[in-house]
Amino acid sequence: EVMLRDISESKRTDANLQSRMAKYMGEDQLSLHASILSHVFWPTLNEESIVLAPEIEQQFKAYEKEYHIVKAPRRLHWKRNLGMVEVKVTLASRTLQLSVSPV
């Protein structure tokens, strides 16, 4: 039950941060959504170091900044290898939308 509440709170927080970021981010900007889960309620997860493109790293920093404004003094610890990346690929004959792991 505690984990389910943590997920619900994560969705509310992410929606709030998306709303705040939409005020100054253009429509052509990348969209970043995060599951913000408390380390207290969840098992320890392995991390892998991933080098991100500067544009994506900028999105992570903007998200962190908004999170700190809303939830100070809490901090985010990213588990980048656990996420999913949604990619839209436009080819000559068709467009593909894929969900892929960043690793």
Side-chain angles (χ1 to χ4, degrees):
E1 187 175 310
V2 173
M3 293 168 107
L4 293 175
R5 278 196 309 253
D6 203 28
I7 291 171
S8 289
E9 175 62 24
S10 170
K11 289 179 181 179
R12 280 191 298 276
T13 301
D14 183 62
N16 182 17
L17 296 175
Q18 293 301 320
S19 173
R20 293 174 60 87
M21 292 174 68
K23 294 176 184 173
Y24 62 86
M25 299 294 246
E27 285 187 23
D28 60 337
Q29 293 287 321
L30 300 170
S31 176
L32 173 73
H33 291 273
S35 294
I36 304 164
L37 305 173
S38 171
H39 72 279
V40 174
F41 307 126
W42 297 85
T44 302
L45 300 169
N46 293 332
E47 284 186 64
E48 292 182 34
S49 179
I50 297 175
V51 177
L52 301 173
E55 298 86 357
I56 298 171
E57 190 64 47
Q58 179 183 5
Q59 288 293 103
F60 274 78
K61 291 193 183 309
Y63 197 96
E64 284 180 47
K65 178 182 173 185
E66 291 300 321
Y67 181 81
H68 185 70
I69 291 169
V70 172
K71 295 285 189 176
R74 295 180 186 170
R75 295 178 300 144
L76 294 174
H77 297 279
W78 296 101
K79 306 283 187 185
R80 295 174 179 172
N81 59 309
L82 299 177
M84 294 298 292
V85 178
E86 293 183 11
V87 180
K88 182 177 180 181
V89 180
T90 303
L91 305 171
S93 62
R94 62 186 171 165
T95 299
L96 302 172
Q97 289 193 275
L98 308 168
S99 291
V100 297
S101 169
V103 180

